[in-house]
Amino acid sequence: MSPVSSDEEYGGGSALAEESGKKDRSSRTSSNRRSASPVSENGGTKALVLTYENEEIGILSGPNETKILFHVNQVWIKHPSAGYCQFAEIYSTADLSKHFYPGRQVNVLMRNIPKTRDVKGQAEVMWLQGPTPEDELFRTRELSAELNFHLAQYQAGKCGKLEMVLSVDKHSSMDGTVHEYISYESGVIRLVGKDNGVVLFHLDQVWTFDGGKWILLKDIIKKPLQRDYLPVGSLVSLSVRKLPCSANSQLRYQAMVVWNKELCKMRESQEGEAGSWQQLRQPGLAEGQVPPGYKQMYANPEMHAKLIKSMDGHFNNFKNLAKLPLKNISCVPVLLNMLPSSWEASVYKVVDDENGVIMIKHRRGGNLSGDSKLKILKMFAIFHIDNVYTSSGEKFRKSPNDFMLQLHNQDVDLTARSIVGEGAYEGVFTAASQLNLSIMNPNVACPVLQAITVFLKDGPDSEANTRLAPKPTVLRSFPESFHSEDPGTAFFLNSTLTCRLDLIALNFFNATNQARMQKDVINGIPMAYFHQTKKSISTDKQEQIKLMTEVEKLDNNDTSKLLYGAYKDLPKPPVQMPYPQGMSGVPCLVRVLFQQGLFAKEGVLLCEIPTPGGHRVAVYAYFDISNFKFLLTRELRPKDLAENIPVCDSIDLKANIILINQQNPIPYIATAVWNPALWNRVPDHTPKLDDIYLQKYERSTAQIVGQSLGHAAVPPPTIVSTFSGPPPGLPPFLTGNSTTTTSIPPPTVGGPPPPSMMSLPPPSMMTQQPPPTAAATAQPPKLLWARKEFLREVVGRVTSIIDDNYGLAVVKFASSKPPHDRYRAIVLFDTCDLWLGEHTATELNTSLTECMREGDYIKVKALLVPVSENTKNIRYLATGVVTGRSKEEVRGMLLPEQEKLEHIDRIHPEKLNNFYQVVSVVCANIPGSGEDEVKGVSTDEDSLPPSHHSTRQPPPGFPPAGGGRRQHSSEYSSPTSSDTTNHFSRTSLVSIDKFEEEVEMKKAAKAQECASTRRKLSYDKQLRDKLLAEMKLPNQLLWRCRECEISCAKPGMEKHIQLKTHWEKLLENFNKKMDNLRPDSLQLS
């Protein structure tokens, strides 16, 4: 990767030649000469990865132990859908040592170099297996200069970046247009007139001219990029560096600096009009130049290095988000990227106000496939009205007056993806041919495509206006498209587009059924494909939340908060006065739009209310999309509130609010919210504050407040509100004849619900409770069965392994309040709940008997199952379990982060049915009662008071707590740190035979320990992290294995410590140390 100037020089070839040529002329003259070492069957020299100097540079061991230097830019892999491509094109640089780990065999073509630090060769290209990559792929004109640069850096003991050879003073700019957005902060730009290359850019590299100077836009940004400064289609200027790319990929560059050319030029001219003398001093940015602020900021080499590091991070995050290493990436493949010249399309059917069907056919009635075996005369594509663009290039749907019926029989052009298979021929054409043969009715539409963008045309021969629409980028040749003459397939790169299209398609299927058009539009094959590929998971809110969490890694500036806002605590008045019970027409602003997944359908308003003392107090009011009053003659009803009332627009709204809980940080509910600029009157609205809505209010406000604290919030106290008529001062719009009684949430099993905050008097009126009497504290604790609704990470012991899938455990704990009653509970768990590292036992196809035994300790989360009384008192169902041999080990374990299952309503009904069935079988076949199950079982969790156990390890050189406690097998100990290496019995001092016998015993024990630890590393993440922490080199991004004497990045070292060769080397070193011991150097045990 290197900066690119306007004359296409690769980072200044002459500069590279000067730097490396001064060191050794012979290196340049032999730059393309290969070594004379034996070659493998595929034409390359076989070598082994030896070690790494840093994340990008490593050393190979070739024939006759010849050391070969290689760089990540010379590493190539054969991808199933992209062919031969550079490793750095699809993988993060940090993953190099993970895939090319020390000890792995590779193929390499190298050139001979003068011996430098024991290195005699340098890799020109390196790959794993298969034939040699074609010369035109890697033997570019820049290869020699790049190799010389990396060699010069290695000779000098530096790790410089190739991009830094060309200083920012020499950077030049070129023009481009914004092509598409990947996320709120990242997108792609297509260069104008260069090579149609596509440029990846990020907000961190966007500049603007403001206040008479050039500054980074992120320092003053007030609206998201795509809504204000750089909308799709805008003209920009930019300076770029090259990215590794395969032959079929258009994504070839990354922007180092980018700015809105027209807007900044206009601002510069306006600034110059302030005075002619100023205009002479600052004439503006000349064509081909980069902003002076950019030059000034990155003239310092350290700042320049930070820029390169930031860009590397953005590129790596994009590769991970797009899942480029996979065959089927997360980007949307465009099988139809605008109609071929011989095809035509028009809107064929209208399903409802939002969905329709497009018919595609040959202009002359010919075969669309070109294959005589597949007689396809027409194909159908579904589309949504929000994806339609007019002939002027703008969105078609701007108001409710723009509706689907206006598009009927309209000529269109489109981009589309498949909804019946992967490729054009294997999926779409085959499905279309089968449908044409099986359905004889010519008026029936059988969709096989889904339109991504639709462009209205004035006539069949008119050109579509795509100026303001997002456009796809060619990345690779799989899956094949309808455009067989093109070498690659285009993809839309937007990170959420796949999920959004899936939702549109699923809604289309439902709309067809609701319109009773099943005979006119047959969705059988698309629905079967969606079921087969599990695309219905897109409707799962938790899956959407996971997706948005991944997108946040790319958007490191949190500019989504410009649209959705962020919760902040309001200042509290010195004297807490009672709030009004309800108000109408309160002026307010949107402060938070609560985004759960792709859309925000709830939010928080900032209102000002009067108090009895005459002051005005700022308060929050909760609302959801059902409370927002859309003027349907002028406003579209969106799925995402950010489309109508984004926080950054600061739209003045009005609301009717009612007080629910003054102790809640969000005390009010807005029963009606509207835009007064559109509404001329207060909407008539009677609040419907039923139990379900108030539960939603309670849950959502807790999550909104908790997000601001960086963790999941505990739900606020239970609300029990009884309205027996309008409270005093309630406005007319809230009065009614009915009585509403709400009681949140359903009663807990085993006892009444706790008292609510609303049922308690204000804090100022509450009196202090007298201290407990001696008699009260002297009451003996009771032994009871637990009735808590949720057990949160309690320690227990396994009492029964029922079969390979199910087991029972007993937990005991004590109440924190006098008289500290003891509680017991029996928990049923299965392999789906048992976590072994990052996976469950079910995912690893492991039975309970293989990973635990009766008497083992567990840490468990469990829920009380309602109506589950039985003879053995098995009342709890586990939702997460980790296990270990000792209590101390289990206490230090962390349960993996997973979906919060803290209420029985979140448990799948099938899992509850299994619970009842297993419990009934256990009660019928295993004798004894619940008391027999818990008898004699002590988890040491019932001590008083509850103790907080530290998992911190003792410093090196100090014995572990517990004196001579035997080290657990899961704990890793190297030969140099083993406490028992030099410890022998007294008899070994006088008996050589006894000494040798103990040596062999220690060798055997070490061999068993190595095998056990290696096996456990495959599923124990905590153990892997502990090992890696010991290997981390200070102040470096390298990890070193001192046993094998290799260094590499963390992913590679994580792979290395799980290899058999590592543990064989560790055992070999231990055995050598034992063999070198003498009886006179022993320590007595």
Side-chain angles (χ1 to χ4, degrees):
M1 294 181 284
S2 69
V4 178
S5 58
S6 57
D7 57 358
E8 294 188 348
E9 290 184 353
Y10 190 79
S14 59
L16 289 175
E18 272 186 339
E19 182 173 345
S20 58
K22 291 178 182 178
K23 300 219 175 213
D24 199 326
R25 291 285 178 182
S26 63
S27 173
R28 282 173 47 191
T29 56
S30 62
S31 61
N32 289 322
R33 198 187 317 153
R34 303 180 188 175
S35 65
S37 54
V39 297
S40 62
E41 296 179 359
N42 49 37
T45 301
K46 291 184 177 180
L48 296 177
V49 180
L50 189 60
T51 186
Y52 282 85
E53 297 292 320
N54 56 36
E55 287 187 344
E56 299 181 347
I57 299 175
I59 305 295
L60 303 176
S61 177
N64 301 321
E65 298 186 353
T66 301
K67 291 187 177 181
I68 305 169
L69 178 70
F70 74 92
H71 189 271
V72 66
N73 286 358
Q74 277 67 59
V75 179
W76 290 71
I77 59 173
K78 191 168 186 179
H79 193 272
S81 62
Y84 268 118
C85 58
Q86 288 180 271
F87 180 89
E89 179 184 356
I90 60 176
Y91 287 101
S92 170
T93 305
D95 290 337
L96 177 63
S97 58
K98 178 180 179 181
H99 296 273
F100 292 80
Y101 48 86
R104 187 163 195 182
Q105 181 174 292
V106 299
N107 296 309
V108 61
L109 296 180
M110 71 172 190
R111 66 174 186 174
N112 295 322
I113 60 174
K115 185 176 180 180
T116 303
R117 296 168 57 186
D118 295 332
V119 172
K120 297 181 179 179
Q122 186 176 14
E124 295 179 331
V125 61
M126 172 178 134
W127 72 103
L128 282 176
Q129 57 187 359
T132 307
E134 298 178 359
D135 280 5
E136 54 266 24
L137 290 178
F138 69 93
R139 289 194 185 281
T140 60
R141 60 175 183 154
E142 302 93 355
L143 178 63
S144 177
E146 184 177 353
L147 293 176
N148 290 339
F149 172 80
H150 294 312
L151 177 60
Q153 291 292 305
Y154 181 75
Q155 290 171 339
K158 300 178 182 179
C159 301
K161 292 278 189 177
L162 185 60
E163 294 90 333
M164 296 188 63
V165 174
L166 193 67
S167 65
V168 294
D169 292 335
K170 299 179 181 178
H171 288 185
S172 58
S173 67
M174 55 196 75
D175 293 343
T177 56
V178 178
H179 213 45
E180 184 192 7
Y181 272 89
I182 301 169
S183 64
Y184 293 111
E185 299 181 11
S186 181
V188 289
I189 297 169
R190 181 177 292 278
L191 296 179
V192 175
K194 184 177 175 62
D195 56 359
N196 285 329
V198 175
V199 184
L200 179 70
F201 77 95
H202 191 275
L203 173 62
D204 285 349
Q205 281 74 55
V206 178
W207 288 70
T208 186
F209 187 81
D210 187 81
K213 58 182 179 180
W214 286 90
I215 57 176
L216 283 167
L217 179 67
K218 66 178 182 179
D219 294 336
I220 61 169
I221 189 169
K222 295 180 180 179
K223 293 185 178 182
L225 275 175
Q226 61 198 76
R227 290 175 63 97
D228 183 43
Y229 186 66
L230 293 179
V232 172
S234 56
L235 180 65
V236 299
S237 290
L238 66 164
S239 180
V240 302
R241 69 168 182 174
K242 283 189 175 180
L243 291 179
C245 66
S246 54
N248 294 330
S249 176
Q250 292 179 340
L251 188 61
R252 301 167 187 163
Y253 308 99
Q254 187 176 13
M256 304 186 75
V257 55
V258 57
W259 66 97
N260 188 314
K261 182 176 182 180
E262 296 175 341
L263 181 61
C264 291
K265 187 175 182 179
M266 180 188 68
R267 290 178 179 176
E268 279 188 319
S269 62
Q270 292 174 350
E271 189 74 21
E273 292 174 0
S276 57
W277 61 272
Q278 187 176 4
Q279 191 172 10
L280 291 174
R281 291 178 58 189
Q282 297 179 350
L285 196 63
E287 193 72 25
Q289 290 187 348
V290 294
Y294 167 77
K295 293 181 180 179
Q296 183 178 359
M297 177 175 289
Y298 298 117
N300 186 329
E302 292 184 2
M303 293 298 297
H304 195 182
K306 286 184 179 180
L307 171 65
I308 301 302
K309 183 178 180 179
S310 173
M311 295 173 64
D312 289 342
H314 297 322
F315 186 39
N316 289 333
N317 288 335
F318 164 72
K319 289 183 284 188
N320 294 333
L321 182 62
K323 299 179 181 179
L324 293 186
L326 302 181
K327 181 179 180 180
N328 294 312
I329 60 179
S330 63
C331 305
V332 180
V334 183
L335 301 192
L336 180 61
N337 189 13
M338 308 300 285
L339 295 171
S341 58
S342 59
W343 292 12
E344 62 182 6
S346 61
V347 177
Y348 181 62
K349 286 184 181 294
V350 173
V351 176
D352 60 10
D353 292 339
E354 296 183 343
N355 298 283
V357 179
I358 294 173
M359 181 173 64
I360 304 169
K361 60 182 180 179
H362 199 281
R363 290 182 181 272
R364 298 179 181 178
N367 186 358
L368 293 175
S369 67
D371 188 346
S372 58
K373 296 180 181 179
L374 300 175
K375 297 180 180 180
I376 302 174
L377 302 180
K378 56 186 176 181
M379 293 189 299
F380 297 95
I382 65 175
F383 74 101
H384 193 274
I385 192 171
D386 287 341
N387 299 326
V388 179
Y389 294 81
T390 65
S391 58
S392 61
E394 300 176 343
K395 282 264 190 173
F396 169 75
R397 194 185 192 191
K398 296 180 181 178
S399 72
N401 297 325
D402 304 318
F403 48 89
M404 179 65 76
L405 283 175
Q406 296 174 344
L407 303 180
H408 192 240
N409 293 327
Q410 177 76 43
D411 293 316
V412 297
D413 206 338
L414 69 155
T415 62
R417 69 164 185 167
S418 169
I419 53 174
V420 293
E422 290 183 342
Y425 287 88
E426 295 180 2
V428 178
F429 279 153
T430 301
S433 176
Q434 293 173 354
L435 291 170
N436 288 342
L437 291 175
S438 60
I439 299 174
M440 305 305 296
N441 190 340
N443 297 321
V444 173
C446 304
V448 293
L449 297 172
Q450 181 181 11
I452 305 171
T453 52
V454 179
F455 305 96
L456 303 181
K457 301 197 300 183
D458 296 331
D461 299 325
S462 301
E463 289 291 331
N465 190 338
T466 64
R467 179 174 56 92
L468 301 180
K471 304 166 189 66
T473 301
V474 176
L475 286 184
R476 50 185 58 171
S477 56
F478 177 87
E480 72 272 18
S481 70
F482 295 122
H483 310 279
S484 56
E485 69 281 359
D486 295 337
T489 300
F491 291 79
F492 279 102
L493 308 183
N494 187 275
S495 55
T496 62
L497 182 60
T498 298
C499 188
R500 292 176 187 272
L501 290 174
D502 290 346
L503 292 175
I504 290 174
L506 293 170
N507 290 335
F508 177 88
F509 302 152
N510 293 331
T512 303
N513 296 334
Q514 292 177 2
R516 299 183 179 180
M517 297 180 62
Q518 296 92 328
K519 295 183 179 180
D520 298 322
V521 181
I522 299 179
N523 298 318
I525 292 182
M527 292 175 67
Y529 177 71
F530 269 57
H531 178 73
Q532 176 187 354
T533 55
K534 298 181 179 180
K535 287 183 175 292
S536 58
I537 199 174
S538 298
T539 60
D540 187 352
K541 189 177 294 184
Q542 294 300 324
E543 293 297 324
Q544 296 179 15
I545 292 175
K546 289 180 183 178
L547 173 62
M548 298 310 297
T549 302
E550 292 297 317
V551 176
E552 288 175 0
K553 296 178 182 179
L554 188 59
D555 293 348
N556 55 290
N557 297 293
D558 289 335
T559 53
S560 62
K561 293 180 179 178
L562 298 174
L563 284 176
Y564 296 97
Y567 176 86
K568 295 180 181 178
D569 288 327
L570 294 175
K572 296 182 179 179
V575 179
Q576 185 73 21
M577 302 294 292
Y579 291 163
Q581 291 295 324
M583 300 182 66
S584 62
V586 178
C588 55
L589 294 172
V590 179
R591 174 56 63 89
V592 179
L593 294 177
F594 185 35
Q595 188 180 17
Q596 292 182 290
L598 296 180
F599 311 116
K601 298 185 178 182
E602 306 166 71
V604 176
L605 301 172
L606 177 63
C607 312
E608 281 193 356
I609 61 172
T611 62
H615 303 287
R616 300 190 69 84
V617 179
V619 295
Y620 285 138
Y622 167 84
F623 76 104
D624 70 5
I625 198 168
S626 66
N627 302 130
F628 195 90
K629 304 298 292 181
F630 295 96
L631 188 61
L632 297 181
T633 58
R634 300 175 62 184
E635 284 183 289
L636 293 173
R637 187 181 182 91
K639 293 181 179 179
D640 189 357
L641 285 170
E643 296 180 19
N644 280 37
I645 49 172
V647 174
C648 58
D649 285 356
S650 299
I651 300 174
D652 293 325
L653 303 175
K654 286 191 176 182
N656 299 335
I657 61 175
I658 182 173
L659 179 64
I660 299 298
N661 183 2
Q662 188 165 342
Q663 306 301 325
N664 193 315
I666 307 174
Y668 282 90
I669 285 180
T671 57
V673 186
W674 68 95
N675 187 343
L678 301 176
W679 286 77
N680 298 323
R681 59 181 177 84
V682 176
D684 296 329
H685 183 70
T686 302
K688 297 180 180 180
L689 301 181
D690 55 10
D691 290 358
I692 297 177
Y693 188 91
L694 288 176
Q695 287 184 30
K696 181 180 180 181
Y697 155 78
E698 184 178 344
R699 180 176 62 251
S700 297
T701 54
Q703 292 175 345
I704 292 170
V705 175
Q707 281 186 354
S708 67
L709 302 176
H711 58 78
V714 178
T718 304
I719 300 174
V720 181
S721 304
T722 302
F723 299 101
S724 57
L730 208 60
F733 78 95
L734 290 176
T735 61
N737 299 324
S738 61
T739 300
T740 305
T741 302
T742 62
S743 181
I744 319 282
T748 56
V749 178
S756 67
M757 289 297 296
M758 293 192 67
S759 64
L760 298 176
S764 60
M765 299 177 60
M766 295 179 65
T767 59
Q768 294 186 351
Q769 298 293 331
T773 63
T777 58
Q779 291 179 358
K782 300 176 183 178
L783 190 61
L784 304 171
W785 287 101
R787 310 286 286 184
K788 292 177 64 176
E789 187 175 348
F790 179 60
L791 301 181
R792 187 189 304 274
E793 297 194 7
V794 293
V795 175
R797 297 194 77 171
V798 180
T799 57
S800 297
I801 301 295
I802 301 172
D803 57 15
D804 288 343
N805 298 316
Y806 291 94
L808 294 178
V810 172
V811 298
K812 293 183 177 181
F813 56 93
S815 172
S816 59
K817 299 180 180 179
H820 305 295
D821 294 332
R822 268 68 165 178
Y823 292 94
R824 297 89 48 79
I826 302 178
V827 183
L828 177 71
F829 62 92
D830 60 28
T831 52
C832 296
D833 311 315
L834 179 59
W835 288 87
L836 303 175
E838 299 176 348
H839 301 277
T840 63
T842 300
E843 294 171 342
L844 297 175
N845 198 21
T846 303
S847 65
L848 290 183
T849 54
E850 293 176 328
C851 49
M852 65 164 50
R853 62 191 178 194
E854 294 181 4
D856 283 359
Y857 287 84
I858 66 169
K859 179 182 283 188
V860 61
K861 290 182 180 179
L863 286 168
L864 179 67
V865 179
V867 196
S868 58
E869 291 80 2
N870 54 79
T871 58
K872 295 187 73 68
N873 259 313
I874 306 172
R875 301 290 308 279
Y876 283 88
L877 175 63
T879 60
V881 178
V882 290
T883 183
R885 293 284 187 261
S886 67
K887 175 181 55 182
E888 291 78 7
E889 178 189 3
V890 170
R891 280 176 173 164
M893 289 182 175
L894 298 176
L895 282 165
E897 294 183 3
Q898 54 183 323
E899 182 183 358
K900 293 187 179 298
L901 302 175
E902 298 184 358
H903 196 277
I904 199 66
D905 293 340
R906 305 294 298 274
I907 302 298
H908 197 280
E910 184 177 349
K911 189 173 181 69
L912 287 177
N913 291 335
N914 291 340
F915 172 86
Y916 290 120
Q917 292 176 10
V918 173
V919 170
S920 63
V921 172
V922 170
C923 294
N925 295 278
I926 298 180
S929 63
E931 295 292 346
D932 298 327
E933 190 77 20
V934 302
K935 186 180 297 184
V937 177
S938 173
T939 65
D940 292 339
E941 291 298 306
D942 50 357
S943 57
L944 295 175
S947 59
H948 300 278
H949 304 278
S950 172
T951 59
R952 186 174 55 185
Q953 299 295 325
F958 286 82
R965 180 177 62 86
R966 185 176 65 87
Q967 186 181 26
H968 192 267
S969 62
S970 67
E971 298 176 358
Y972 170 78
S973 60
S974 65
T976 59
S977 63
S978 176
D979 294 331
T980 61
T981 302
N982 296 329
H983 288 72
F984 288 79
S985 65
R986 291 181 178 275
T987 55
S988 62
L989 292 174
V990 294
S991 173
I992 296 297
D993 292 339
K994 184 64 176 179
F995 169 73
E996 292 179 350
E997 181 182 346
E998 291 192 20
V999 167
E1000 294 303 320
M1001 289 177 60
K1002 290 182 181 293
K1003 288 182 179 180
K1006 191 64 178 179
Q1008 185 177 3
E1009 178 188 345
C1010 290
S1012 175
T1013 306
R1014 178 180 173 236
R1015 183 169 57 253
K1016 193 166 187 178
L1017 282 171
S1018 62
Y1019 60 81
D1020 193 336
K1021 185 177 185 298
Q1022 186 179 14
L1023 179 57
R1024 291 201 301 271
D1025 291 342
K1026 181 181 178 182
L1027 277 177
L1028 292 172
E1030 296 174 356
M1031 296 178 170
K1032 176 73 168 64
L1033 294 178
N1035 303 321
Q1036 297 186 51
L1037 290 175
L1038 285 178
W1039 281 251
R1040 180 166 180 79
C1041 176
R1042 292 177 175 82
E1043 303 293 338
C1044 304
E1045 297 183 351
I1046 63 170
S1047 300
C1048 60
K1050 185 177 179 179
M1053 189 57 67
E1054 188 171 5
K1055 179 77 174 180
H1056 171 73
I1057 62 177
Q1058 299 180 59
L1059 294 177
K1060 184 179 180 181
T1061 53
H1062 166 73
W1063 295 98
E1064 289 177 346
K1065 184 67 175 179
L1066 188 150
L1067 183 60
E1068 179 185 347
N1069 292 343
F1070 179 84
N1071 291 342
K1072 287 181 180 179
K1073 183 174 182 179
M1074 297 301 298
D1075 292 338
N1076 292 331
L1077 287 178
R1078 296 293 178 266
D1080 55 2
S1081 63
L1082 299 181
Q1083 299 179 16
L1084 297 181
S1085 58

